[in-house]
Amino acid sequence: MEREETTRGQAAGKQPVEFLPIILGGDITTYSLARSFHEEYGVKSVAVSMLKSIMISHSSIIENIVVPDMDSKEHFVQRLIEIAKRYPGKKLLLMACGDWYVRMIVENRAALEEYYVVPYIGEELLNRLVLKDSFYRICDEVGVPYPKTFVYDCKDPQPLDFDFSYPVIAKPASSAAYHYAKFEGKKKVFRMKSEEELSAMLDKLRASGYDYKFLIQDTIPGLDYNMRILTCYCDRHGKVRFFSSGHVLLEDNAAMGVGNPVAIINDVNREIMENARRLLEHVGYTGFANFDIKYDERDGSFRFFEINTRLGRSNFYVTGSGFNAVKWIVDDLIYEKDFDDEPVIADNEDSLYTVVPKDVLMNYVKDDALRQRVKELYAKGCVHDPLSYKGERNLIRRLYPIYFMWKQRKKFRP
């Protein structure tokens, strides 16, 4: 189920644009961004991936360049310069689909900006925000609620002494450093039932070479649909110009995918928007920011978990609702347009983003009101799967969403 659509750039008869998106990644994030660029501008993006995959390599809206050593610090910049030289005369907009790629782009900004438009914040601010212990200190400064947190330093282990009870949530304070940690049972986020279980995992973690901090947090009660997502865009002057919030229905259940929404209904939550605006403008943020937030039914607060300094994996929930996400970057950094003082709010609440089949969603969502809402949106045809795009011309790629949904049904099988 998706909108009847042609690419907006083509439908409006626009002239060819002078920019080209270069997207680092090969997953749903990559395809969603490429689709958004194609819908708005009719442009074919370049996706740089380490492996060849059907999702992007067979797409008619993507030119896929496979670079096996793209995750090598030694080769990262040189490979990007080599790619840039293939496209003389165009503004190249560099987009990252992972925290590690953002880190590498930011750390090598001086070398890359000769060839690319870089839509990410500076290194000092990146460190303050993506290191989650530092992020929570900023939350304290501006009065943004977050879960009770104990900071465990892997360099200097200390007793696990905190004032909240098990089960607890455990996750890395640095996603970029955790990228290199290799140990049995590694997960993106852990739910630990006892101190013994937590201590055993931390022993493996330290042995893996991870030498930064790990966060032990109070478990906020509630199922996946207590989660919220918020996407914001701050212009080059540090002012918030766009908000898009969503009510998460279901999250991924894979070990390294935990916390990634797979179904979202758009909503308008002004409380979390105002909290995010206060935080972002306090630090002088620029570009896209994506927040994971959970409603705490114990006190009615919305607790901020973390900030992603890029568009997230489920970014198409924004574009699917009728507010094309990538247009903000292009208008701001390619065309240097000025924006109205009041931020735009994505206010179309009749929009369901999903990358799982309807039967999976109906099986996992137990709340009667949300189940009814899902049924209504399917009945209206207001359901958006980023992978199912009528702008695709490749037959293999047009059939791919059927295979992907089969895999999702199998993964979420009770």
Side-chain angles (χ1 to χ4, degrees), residues 226-277:
N226 276 40
M227 293 297 299
R228 304 294 188 271
I229 187 171
L230 177 66
T231 299
C232 311
Y233 187 78
C234 299
D235 70 10
R236 59 193 182 278
H237 307 299
K239 293 294 183 180
V240 178
R241 299 304 186 189
F242 176 69
F243 292 112
S244 177
S245 60
H247 189 153
V248 175
L249 302 181
L250 181 63
E251 294 183 332
D252 202 336
N253 62 6
M256 291 306 294
V258 171
N260 291 326
V262 295
I264 301 167
I265 292 178
N266 288 67
D267 69 3
V268 176
N269 189 317
R270 295 183 184 275
E271 179 181 344
I272 64 174
M273 290 176 186
E274 175 55 28
N275 280 338
R277 184 200 62 76

Short mmCIF file of all heavy atoms in Angstrom, two decimals, residues 226-277:
data_model
loop_
_atom_site.label_atom_id
_atom_site.label_comp_id
_atom_site.label_asym_id
_atom_site.label_seq_id
_atom_site.Cartn_x
_atom_site.Cartn_y
_atom_site.Cartn_z
N ASN A 226 5.33 2.69 23.65
CA ASN A 226 5.60 3.83 24.54
C ASN A 226 6.73 4.70 23.98
O ASN A 226 7.02 5.77 24.51
CB ASN A 226 6.00 3.36 25.94
CG ASN A 226 4.78 3.06 26.80
OD1 ASN A 226 3.80 2.52 26.33
ND2 ASN A 226 4.83 3.43 28.07
N MET A 227 7.36 4.25 22.89
CA MET A 227 8.46 4.99 22.28
C MET A 227 7.94 6.08 21.35
O MET A 227 6.88 5.95 20.75
CB MET A 227 9.38 4.06 21.49
CG MET A 227 10.15 3.05 22.33
SD MET A 227 11.29 3.81 23.50
CE MET A 227 12.40 4.70 22.39
N ARG A 228 8.74 7.14 21.25
CA ARG A 228 8.47 8.22 20.31
C ARG A 228 9.75 8.51 19.52
O ARG A 228 10.85 8.23 20.00
CB ARG A 228 8.02 9.51 21.03
CG ARG A 228 6.80 9.34 21.92
CD ARG A 228 5.54 9.01 21.12
NE ARG A 228 4.35 9.04 21.97
CZ ARG A 228 3.89 8.00 22.65
NH1 ARG A 228 4.53 6.83 22.59
NH2 ARG A 228 2.80 8.11 23.39
N ILE A 229 9.59 9.07 18.36
CA ILE A 229 10.74 9.46 17.54
C ILE A 229 10.54 10.92 17.13
O ILE A 229 9.40 11.35 16.91
CB ILE A 229 10.89 8.55 16.31
CG1 ILE A 229 12.18 8.86 15.55
CG2 ILE A 229 9.67 8.64 15.39
CD1 ILE A 229 12.49 7.83 14.45
N LEU A 230 11.62 11.67 17.07
CA LEU A 230 11.54 13.06 16.66
C LEU A 230 12.69 13.38 15.73
O LEU A 230 13.85 13.10 16.05
CB LEU A 230 11.60 13.99 17.88
CG LEU A 230 11.59 15.49 17.59
CD1 LEU A 230 10.25 15.90 16.99
CD2 LEU A 230 11.87 16.30 18.87
N THR A 231 12.38 13.96 14.59
CA THR A 231 13.38 14.40 13.62
C THR A 231 13.30 15.92 13.51
O THR A 231 12.21 16.48 13.34
CB THR A 231 13.12 13.76 12.25
OG1 THR A 231 13.20 12.34 12.38
CG2 THR A 231 14.15 14.22 11.23
N CYS A 232 14.45 16.58 13.62
CA CYS A 232 14.52 18.04 13.55
C CYS A 232 15.56 18.45 12.52
O CYS A 232 16.55 17.75 12.31
CB CYS A 232 14.93 18.64 14.89
SG CYS A 232 14.01 18.04 16.31
N TYR A 233 15.34 19.61 11.90
CA TYR A 233 16.38 20.19 11.06
C TYR A 233 16.71 21.59 11.55
O TYR A 233 15.82 22.43 11.72
CB TYR A 233 15.97 20.25 9.58
CG TYR A 233 17.14 20.71 8.72
CD1 TYR A 233 18.15 19.80 8.39
CD2 TYR A 233 17.27 22.03 8.31
CE1 TYR A 233 19.26 20.20 7.65
CE2 TYR A 233 18.38 22.43 7.58
CZ TYR A 233 19.37 21.51 7.26
OH TYR A 233 20.47 21.91 6.54
N CYS A 234 18.01 21.84 11.77
CA CYS A 234 18.51 23.15 12.15
C CYS A 234 19.30 23.72 10.97
O CYS A 234 20.16 23.03 10.42
CB CYS A 234 19.42 23.06 13.37
SG CYS A 234 18.61 22.42 14.84
N ASP A 235 19.01 24.95 10.61
CA ASP A 235 19.69 25.54 9.45
C ASP A 235 21.13 25.93 9.78
O ASP A 235 21.60 25.75 10.90
CB ASP A 235 18.89 26.72 8.89
CG ASP A 235 18.89 27.94 9.81
OD1 ASP A 235 19.66 27.98 10.80
OD2 ASP A 235 18.12 28.88 9.54
N ARG A 236 21.82 26.46 8.79
CA ARG A 236 23.25 26.75 8.92
C ARG A 236 23.52 27.85 9.94
O ARG A 236 24.67 28.07 10.34
CB ARG A 236 23.82 27.15 7.55
CG ARG A 236 23.18 28.36 6.90
CD ARG A 236 23.57 28.48 5.44
NE ARG A 236 23.01 29.67 4.77
CZ ARG A 236 21.77 29.73 4.29
NH1 ARG A 236 20.95 28.67 4.39
NH2 ARG A 236 21.35 30.83 3.70
N HIS A 237 22.45 28.54 10.41
CA HIS A 237 22.60 29.58 11.43
C HIS A 237 22.29 29.04 12.84
O HIS A 237 22.33 29.80 13.80
CB HIS A 237 21.68 30.76 11.11
CG HIS A 237 21.85 31.30 9.73
ND1 HIS A 237 23.05 31.84 9.28
CD2 HIS A 237 21.00 31.38 8.68
CE1 HIS A 237 22.92 32.23 8.02
NE2 HIS A 237 21.68 31.96 7.63
N GLY A 238 21.95 27.75 12.93
CA GLY A 238 21.70 27.15 14.23
C GLY A 238 20.28 27.30 14.75
O GLY A 238 20.03 27.14 15.95
N LYS A 239 19.31 27.57 13.87
CA LYS A 239 17.92 27.71 14.27
C LYS A 239 17.11 26.50 13.80
O LYS A 239 17.27 26.04 12.67
CB LYS A 239 17.30 28.98 13.67
CG LYS A 239 17.89 30.27 14.23
CD LYS A 239 17.55 30.43 15.71
CE LYS A 239 18.07 31.75 16.25
NZ LYS A 239 17.75 31.91 17.70
N VAL A 240 16.25 25.98 14.67
CA VAL A 240 15.40 24.85 14.30
C VAL A 240 14.35 25.33 13.30
O VAL A 240 13.61 26.28 13.57
CB VAL A 240 14.71 24.23 15.53
CG1 VAL A 240 13.81 23.08 15.10
CG2 VAL A 240 15.74 23.73 16.53
N ARG A 241 14.30 24.68 12.15
CA ARG A 241 13.37 25.07 11.09
C ARG A 241 12.30 24.02 10.80
O ARG A 241 11.33 24.31 10.09
CB ARG A 241 14.15 25.36 9.81
CG ARG A 241 15.16 26.49 9.93
CD ARG A 241 14.53 27.78 10.41
NE ARG A 241 15.47 28.90 10.38
CZ ARG A 241 15.21 30.09 10.91
NH1 ARG A 241 14.05 30.31 11.51
NH2 ARG A 241 16.11 31.05 10.86
N PHE A 242 12.47 22.79 11.34
CA PHE A 242 11.54 21.72 10.98
C PHE A 242 11.46 20.69 12.10
O PHE A 242 12.47 20.35 12.73
CB PHE A 242 12.00 21.04 9.69
CG PHE A 242 11.17 19.86 9.27
CD1 PHE A 242 9.87 20.04 8.82
CD2 PHE A 242 11.68 18.58 9.31
CE1 PHE A 242 9.09 18.95 8.43
CE2 PHE A 242 10.92 17.49 8.91
CZ PHE A 242 9.63 17.67 8.47
N PHE A 243 10.23 20.22 12.36
CA PHE A 243 9.99 19.13 13.31
C PHE A 243 9.11 18.07 12.66
O PHE A 243 8.14 18.40 11.97
CB PHE A 243 9.22 19.62 14.54
CG PHE A 243 9.96 20.55 15.45
CD1 PHE A 243 9.56 21.88 15.57
CD2 PHE A 243 11.01 20.10 16.24
CE1 PHE A 243 10.21 22.74 16.44
CE2 PHE A 243 11.66 20.95 17.11
CZ PHE A 243 11.26 22.28 17.22
N SER A 244 9.41 16.81 12.92
CA SER A 244 8.52 15.71 12.54
C SER A 244 8.57 14.66 13.64
O SER A 244 9.62 14.06 13.89
CB SER A 244 8.96 15.09 11.21
OG SER A 244 8.13 13.99 10.88
N SER A 245 7.45 14.47 14.33
CA SER A 245 7.42 13.50 15.43
C SER A 245 6.58 12.30 15.03
O SER A 245 5.70 12.38 14.17
CB SER A 245 6.89 14.14 16.71
OG SER A 245 5.57 14.64 16.54
N GLY A 246 6.85 11.18 15.69
CA GLY A 246 6.14 9.95 15.38
C GLY A 246 5.94 9.09 16.60
O GLY A 246 6.75 9.10 17.54
N HIS A 247 4.85 8.34 16.59
CA HIS A 247 4.52 7.38 17.65
C HIS A 247 4.94 6.00 17.17
O HIS A 247 4.38 5.47 16.21
CB HIS A 247 3.01 7.42 17.92
CG HIS A 247 2.58 6.64 19.11
ND1 HIS A 247 1.46 6.96 19.84
CD2 HIS A 247 3.12 5.55 19.72
CE1 HIS A 247 1.31 6.10 20.83
NE2 HIS A 247 2.31 5.23 20.77
N VAL A 248 5.95 5.44 17.79
CA VAL A 248 6.48 4.13 17.39
C VAL A 248 5.50 3.03 17.81
O VAL A 248 4.99 3.03 18.93
CB VAL A 248 7.87 3.88 18.03
CG1 VAL A 248 8.36 2.47 17.70
CG2 VAL A 248 8.87 4.93 17.57
N LEU A 249 5.25 2.10 16.92
CA LEU A 249 4.38 0.97 17.21
C LEU A 249 5.15 -0.30 17.50
O LEU A 249 4.74 -1.12 18.32
CB LEU A 249 3.43 0.71 16.03
CG LEU A 249 2.52 1.85 15.60
CD1 LEU A 249 1.65 1.41 14.44
CD2 LEU A 249 1.67 2.34 16.76
N LEU A 250 6.29 -0.47 16.80
CA LEU A 250 7.06 -1.70 16.92
C LEU A 250 8.51 -1.41 16.58
O LEU A 250 8.80 -0.61 15.69
CB LEU A 250 6.50 -2.76 15.96
CG LEU A 250 7.17 -4.15 15.96
CD1 LEU A 250 7.02 -4.83 17.31
CD2 LEU A 250 6.57 -5.03 14.86
N GLU A 251 9.42 -2.06 17.33
CA GLU A 251 10.85 -1.92 17.08
C GLU A 251 11.43 -3.24 16.61
O GLU A 251 10.87 -4.31 16.83
CB GLU A 251 11.58 -1.45 18.35
CG GLU A 251 11.18 -0.06 18.79
CD GLU A 251 11.96 0.42 20.00
OE1 GLU A 251 12.41 -0.43 20.81
OE2 GLU A 251 12.14 1.64 20.15
N ASP A 252 12.59 -3.16 15.98
CA ASP A 252 13.30 -4.34 15.50
C ASP A 252 13.66 -5.23 16.69
O ASP A 252 13.90 -4.75 17.80
CB ASP A 252 14.58 -3.89 14.78
CG ASP A 252 15.10 -4.95 13.81
OD1 ASP A 252 14.79 -6.15 14.00
OD2 ASP A 252 15.81 -4.58 12.87
N ASN A 253 13.69 -6.54 16.46
CA ASN A 253 14.04 -7.47 17.54
C ASN A 253 15.37 -8.17 17.31
O ASN A 253 15.75 -9.06 18.07
CB ASN A 253 12.93 -8.51 17.73
CG ASN A 253 12.70 -9.38 16.50
OD1 ASN A 253 13.43 -9.30 15.51
ND2 ASN A 253 11.69 -10.23 16.54
N ALA A 254 16.12 -7.76 16.26
CA ALA A 254 17.43 -8.36 15.99
C ALA A 254 18.46 -7.81 16.97
O ALA A 254 18.35 -6.67 17.43
CB ALA A 254 17.86 -8.08 14.56
N ALA A 255 19.50 -8.60 17.27
CA ALA A 255 20.49 -8.23 18.29
C ALA A 255 21.11 -6.87 18.03
O ALA A 255 21.26 -6.06 18.94
CB ALA A 255 21.58 -9.30 18.37
N MET A 256 21.51 -6.58 16.78
CA MET A 256 22.15 -5.31 16.47
C MET A 256 21.18 -4.29 15.87
O MET A 256 21.58 -3.26 15.37
CB MET A 256 23.34 -5.53 15.52
CG MET A 256 24.51 -6.27 16.18
SD MET A 256 25.08 -5.49 17.71
CE MET A 256 25.73 -3.94 17.10
N GLY A 257 19.88 -4.63 15.94
CA GLY A 257 18.88 -3.70 15.43
C GLY A 257 17.91 -3.21 16.49
O GLY A 257 17.01 -2.43 16.20
N VAL A 258 18.10 -3.67 17.73
CA VAL A 258 17.21 -3.30 18.82
C VAL A 258 17.12 -1.78 18.93
O VAL A 258 18.13 -1.08 18.92
CB VAL A 258 17.69 -3.89 20.15
CG1 VAL A 258 16.88 -3.33 21.31
CG2 VAL A 258 17.58 -5.41 20.13
N GLY A 259 15.91 -1.28 19.02
CA GLY A 259 15.71 0.16 19.14
C GLY A 259 15.39 0.84 17.82
O GLY A 259 14.98 2.00 17.82
N ASN A 260 15.57 0.13 16.70
CA ASN A 260 15.23 0.72 15.41
C ASN A 260 13.73 0.55 15.15
O ASN A 260 13.23 -0.57 15.08
CB ASN A 260 16.00 0.04 14.28
CG ASN A 260 17.48 0.35 14.31
OD1 ASN A 260 17.89 1.45 14.70
ND2 ASN A 260 18.31 -0.61 13.92
N PRO A 261 12.98 1.64 15.00
CA PRO A 261 11.54 1.50 14.73
C PRO A 261 11.29 0.83 13.37
O PRO A 261 11.96 1.14 12.39
CB PRO A 261 11.04 2.95 14.71
CG PRO A 261 12.08 3.74 15.43
CD PRO A 261 13.38 3.05 15.13
N VAL A 262 10.32 -0.06 13.33
CA VAL A 262 9.92 -0.68 12.07
C VAL A 262 8.49 -0.30 11.70
O VAL A 262 8.02 -0.64 10.61
CB VAL A 262 10.08 -2.21 12.10
CG1 VAL A 262 11.54 -2.60 12.25
CG2 VAL A 262 9.24 -2.83 13.21
N ALA A 263 7.79 0.41 12.59
CA ALA A 263 6.45 0.91 12.29
C ALA A 263 6.21 2.17 13.12
O ALA A 263 6.44 2.17 14.34
CB ALA A 263 5.38 -0.13 12.58
N ILE A 264 5.76 3.24 12.44
CA ILE A 264 5.58 4.54 13.09
C ILE A 264 4.31 5.21 12.54
O ILE A 264 4.11 5.22 11.33
CB ILE A 264 6.77 5.49 12.80
CG1 ILE A 264 8.09 4.90 13.29
CG2 ILE A 264 6.54 6.87 13.42
CD1 ILE A 264 9.31 5.63 12.74
N ILE A 265 3.49 5.75 13.43
CA ILE A 265 2.40 6.62 13.01
C ILE A 265 2.81 8.06 13.29
O ILE A 265 3.21 8.38 14.41
CB ILE A 265 1.09 6.30 13.76
CG1 ILE A 265 0.55 4.92 13.37
CG2 ILE A 265 0.03 7.36 13.45
CD1 ILE A 265 -0.72 4.52 14.09
N ASN A 266 2.73 8.91 12.29
CA ASN A 266 3.07 10.32 12.50
C ASN A 266 2.12 10.96 13.49
O ASN A 266 0.91 10.67 13.49
CB ASN A 266 3.03 11.08 11.18
CG ASN A 266 4.17 10.71 10.27
OD1 ASN A 266 4.25 9.58 9.78
ND2 ASN A 266 5.06 11.65 10.03
N ASP A 267 2.66 11.81 14.36
CA ASP A 267 1.82 12.58 15.27
C ASP A 267 2.45 13.96 15.47
O ASP A 267 3.49 14.27 14.89
CB ASP A 267 1.61 11.85 16.60
CG ASP A 267 2.88 11.76 17.45
OD1 ASP A 267 3.94 12.31 17.04
OD2 ASP A 267 2.83 11.15 18.53
N VAL A 268 1.81 14.78 16.25
CA VAL A 268 2.34 16.11 16.58
C VAL A 268 2.44 16.19 18.11
O VAL A 268 1.42 16.25 18.79
CB VAL A 268 1.45 17.24 16.05
CG1 VAL A 268 1.98 18.60 16.51
CG2 VAL A 268 1.38 17.19 14.51
N ASN A 269 3.66 16.14 18.62
CA ASN A 269 3.90 16.19 20.06
C ASN A 269 4.72 17.44 20.37
O ASN A 269 5.94 17.45 20.26
CB ASN A 269 4.63 14.93 20.52
CG ASN A 269 4.72 14.81 22.03
OD1 ASN A 269 4.99 15.79 22.72
ND2 ASN A 269 4.51 13.61 22.54
N ARG A 270 4.02 18.50 20.75
CA ARG A 270 4.68 19.79 20.94
C ARG A 270 5.58 19.81 22.18
O ARG A 270 6.53 20.60 22.23
CB ARG A 270 3.64 20.91 20.99
CG ARG A 270 2.91 21.06 19.66
CD ARG A 270 1.91 22.20 19.66
NE ARG A 270 1.18 22.23 18.40
CZ ARG A 270 1.59 22.84 17.30
NH1 ARG A 270 2.75 23.48 17.30
NH2 ARG A 270 0.86 22.84 16.20
N GLU A 271 5.30 18.97 23.15
CA GLU A 271 6.14 18.92 24.35
C GLU A 271 7.56 18.47 24.01
O GLU A 271 8.54 19.11 24.40
CB GLU A 271 5.52 18.01 25.39
CG GLU A 271 6.36 17.88 26.66
CD GLU A 271 5.75 16.96 27.69
OE1 GLU A 271 4.55 16.64 27.58
OE2 GLU A 271 6.48 16.54 28.62
N ILE A 272 7.68 17.37 23.27
CA ILE A 272 9.03 16.90 22.94
C ILE A 272 9.70 17.81 21.91
O ILE A 272 10.92 17.96 21.90
CB ILE A 272 9.03 15.42 22.47
CG1 ILE A 272 8.24 15.23 21.17
CG2 ILE A 272 8.50 14.51 23.56
CD1 ILE A 272 8.35 13.81 20.62
N MET A 273 8.90 18.45 21.06
CA MET A 273 9.47 19.41 20.10
C MET A 273 10.11 20.58 20.83
O MET A 273 11.22 21.00 20.51
CB MET A 273 8.39 19.91 19.14
CG MET A 273 7.89 18.88 18.15
SD MET A 273 6.52 19.55 17.14
CE MET A 273 6.05 18.07 16.22
N GLU A 274 9.43 21.11 21.83
CA GLU A 274 9.95 22.24 22.56
C GLU A 274 11.21 21.85 23.35
O GLU A 274 12.18 22.61 23.41
CB GLU A 274 8.89 22.80 23.51
CG GLU A 274 9.37 23.92 24.42
CD GLU A 274 10.01 25.10 23.70
OE1 GLU A 274 9.65 25.35 22.53
OE2 GLU A 274 10.87 25.77 24.30
N ASN A 275 11.22 20.67 23.94
CA ASN A 275 12.41 20.20 24.65
C ASN A 275 13.60 20.08 23.69
O ASN A 275 14.72 20.49 24.02
CB ASN A 275 12.14 18.85 25.32
CG ASN A 275 11.40 18.99 26.63
OD1 ASN A 275 11.42 20.04 27.27
ND2 ASN A 275 10.73 17.93 27.05
N ALA A 276 13.34 19.52 22.51
CA ALA A 276 14.41 19.36 21.52
C ALA A 276 14.90 20.73 21.03
O ALA A 276 16.11 20.94 20.88
CB ALA A 276 13.93 18.52 20.35
N ARG A 277 13.97 21.63 20.77
CA ARG A 277 14.37 22.97 20.30
C ARG A 277 15.29 23.65 21.31
O ARG A 277 16.33 24.23 20.96
CB ARG A 277 13.14 23.84 20.07
CG ARG A 277 13.47 25.22 19.48
CD ARG A 277 12.35 26.22 19.71
NE ARG A 277 12.10 26.45 21.13
CZ ARG A 277 12.88 27.19 21.91
NH1 ARG A 277 13.97 27.77 21.43
NH2 ARG A 277 12.58 27.34 23.20
#
